Amino acid sequence: MKMIDLRSDTVTQPTPEMREAMYRAEAGDDVLGEDPTVNRLEEMAAQRMGQEAALLVVSGTMGNLVALLAHCGRGNEVILGDRSHTFLFEQGGMAALGGIVPRLIPNQPDGTLRLTDIEGAIRGDNVHFPRTRLVCLENTHNMCNGTPLTVEYTAQVASLAHERGLRVHLDGARVFNAAAALGVDVRDVAQDVDSVMFCLSKGLCAPVGSILCGSAEFIAEARRARKVVGGGMRQAGILAAAGIVALEQIAPRLAEDHVRAKRLAAGLAEIPGVDVAPVATNILYFWLTKETSKTQDEVVDGLKERGVLLMGRLDGRFRAVTHYWITDEDVERTLQAMREIMA
Ligand SMILES: Cc1ncc(COP(=O)(O)O)c(C=O)c1O
């Protein structure tokens, strides 16, 4: 029985085309700037994002960390959402390793930060205060139902930040999903921010890697930060080759995953005892209502017995994520399994 793995888009296996490209990749010492495949991927990524330069890093966590290290000095403050991945799930790396102070403001249910909250969190010039340096956004917003932030909203935040002498970093782990859901070019989503990180190894299916984009000056600084956290890779062209395939072949098809997530959501919403959050991209949250006596464990275990994996026990919610390897038939099988469990 095929396991239907809806736990995350990070479980995606590389495609056969990626494996072939990796096998054939030209490689060199990337710390010396001599890996032609990495250089090609970085140029391609910068161009796609409409930014000057790009840097291949090991992971999204490393991309966000080196971005913050490059933007901020020790004792500087970063304004970010209280449900952001960077705050919740990256071990507080900015503080632990960079001496950077997180200043939390509430994420709204759609993943946005209120402009008035951002404004209110910006520090004045006072010897008692850390200096505010940066605002971080997340698009799509993982913990806020995978919602995409609009181009207009991002522009508003950037304009407020820039007026106040701050920069904006975008955790765009799934920024290609955001662009697909908004029906715009990814460049439009990234055009107003000073740096953007996106992941090759989530919905884009590559085995390893994320990319940080920004100005040439910023990327030079980030390259130093990557080295000090041990992220300088040598013959990384083997990995970059898969990243090139990801951009060329997988990025254009992400809307299909969104259609399947919506179909799954619609089917789940019809099952008594199940409530579903609004779905805009490939991330779907649902939960059990008071009408049912079923427990979360019964659902997670029942699904597993029927060959379906998802994330349970996330503050009372379940998360299912569609991706390249989830077919229409898998969606139907998942719904059938849920109907059986909830009956
Ligand atoms: C929004 C967001 N940012 C950053 C990351 C970190 O990426 P990685 O797991 O590659 O470190 C994730 C991972 O799930 C994420 O969802």
Side-chain angles (χ1 to χ4, degrees):
M1 178 172 61
K2 172 193 171 187
M3 289 306 277
I4 300 170
D5 198 342
L6 294 163
R7 288 173 300 165
S8 176
D9 46 12
T10 57
V11 303
T12 43
Q13 293 283 324
T15 62
E17 292 79 5
M18 286 177 184
R19 290 176 189 270
E20 180 66 23
M22 292 170 80
Y23 178 70
R24 299 196 179 284
E26 258 189 281
D29 188 335
D30 179 49
V31 175
L32 303 181
E34 289 174 6
D35 190 302
T37 313
V38 172
N39 292 343
R40 214 175 114 219
L41 171 63
E42 290 179 346
E43 275 163 33
M44 183 187 272
Q47 199 254 334
R48 291 275 167 111
M49 284 296 154
Q51 300 274 351
E52 247 172 30
L55 181 72
L56 174 65
V57 292
V58 171
S59 63
T61 301
M62 184 183 278
N64 285 331
L65 175 63
V66 302
L68 267 60
L69 292 174
H71 281 304
C72 302
R74 296 184 73 79
N76 287 165
E77 199 165 60
V78 173
I79 297 171
L80 79 171
D82 61 354
R83 313 200 73 199
S84 61
H85 193 278
T86 301
F87 172 66
L88 289 175
F89 301 120
E90 296 174 21
Q91 268 196 36
M94 69 172 94
L97 305 179
I100 299 163
V101 185
R103 177 77 181 267
L104 295 183
I105 58 176
N107 274 118
Q108 301 306 307
D110 62 359
T112 57
L113 305 172
R114 280 202 200 100
L115 295 178
T116 48
D117 288 342
I118 297 176
E119 182 126 44
I122 300 172
R123 304 277 196 161
D125 184 15
N126 183 310
V127 74
H128 298 88
F129 297 159
R131 288 188 172 124
T132 313
R133 190 87 183 95
L134 188 70
V135 179
C136 289
L137 296 176
E138 185 174 315
N139 195 5
T140 64
H141 202 291
N142 184 342
M143 291 298 281
C144 296
N145 300 328
T147 314
L149 306 180
T150 63
V151 175
E152 296 71 28
Y153 170 75
T154 309
Q156 284 170 5
V157 172
S159 126
L160 166 63
H162 293 154
E163 270 167 31
R164 303 294 298 269
L166 312 180
R167 293 192 187 155
V168 179
H169 171 66
L170 179 62
D171 174 348
R174 298 182 180 81
V175 74
F176 282 94
N177 293 90
L182 297 169
V184 299
D185 192 288
V186 73
R187 182 190 291 242
D188 299 334
V189 183
Q191 69 192 0
D192 294 304
V193 300
D194 300 283
S195 58
V196 52
M197 182 283 293
F198 70 91
C199 294
L200 295 165
S201 61
K202 297 193 165 62
L204 295 185
C205 277
V208 179
S210 293
I211 301 267
L212 181 62
C213 302
S215 69
E217 193 187 347
F218 166 78
I219 290 297
E221 215 35 52
R223 196 175 287 280
R224 282 186 63 81
R226 181 185 71 170
K227 190 74 176 77
V228 78
V229 296
M233 295 177 281
R234 302 297 176 176
Q235 284 71 34
I238 304 288
L239 302 174
I244 291 170
V245 177
L247 287 179
E248 286 177 341
Q249 297 182 7
I250 313 295
R253 60 152 302 283
L254 290 175
E256 288 177 35
D257 300 336
H258 303 175
V259 171
R260 292 196 180 97
K262 285 177 188 163
R263 191 172 306 146
L264 185 57
L268 287 171
E270 284 172 9
I271 300 174
V274 177
D275 245 352
V276 183
V279 185
T281 57
N282 64 332
I283 296 181
L284 155 63
Y285 285 94
F286 63 96
W287 55 93
L288 301 178
T289 65
K290 292 200 179 75
E291 291 156 32
T292 174
S293 59
K294 299 283 174 201
T295 65
Q296 285 210 318
D297 282 349
E298 280 172 314
V299 172
V300 172
D301 297 342
L303 283 171
K304 196 170 177 182
E305 279 163 26
R306 291 166 177 80
V308 181
L309 300 175
L310 48 67
M311 291 270 200
R313 311 172 186 103
L314 285 169
D315 57 30
R317 300 183 297 169
F318 304 93
R319 192 186 75 171
V321 185
T322 54
H323 51 75
Y324 183 80
W325 298 102
I326 299 297
T327 63
D328 289 338
E329 196 196 329
D330 295 338
V331 170
E332 287 316 312
R333 255 184 67 196
T334 303
L335 288 172
Q336 186 51 36
M338 270 303 279
R339 286 183 206 112
E340 283 170 26
I341 294 162
M342 297 301 293

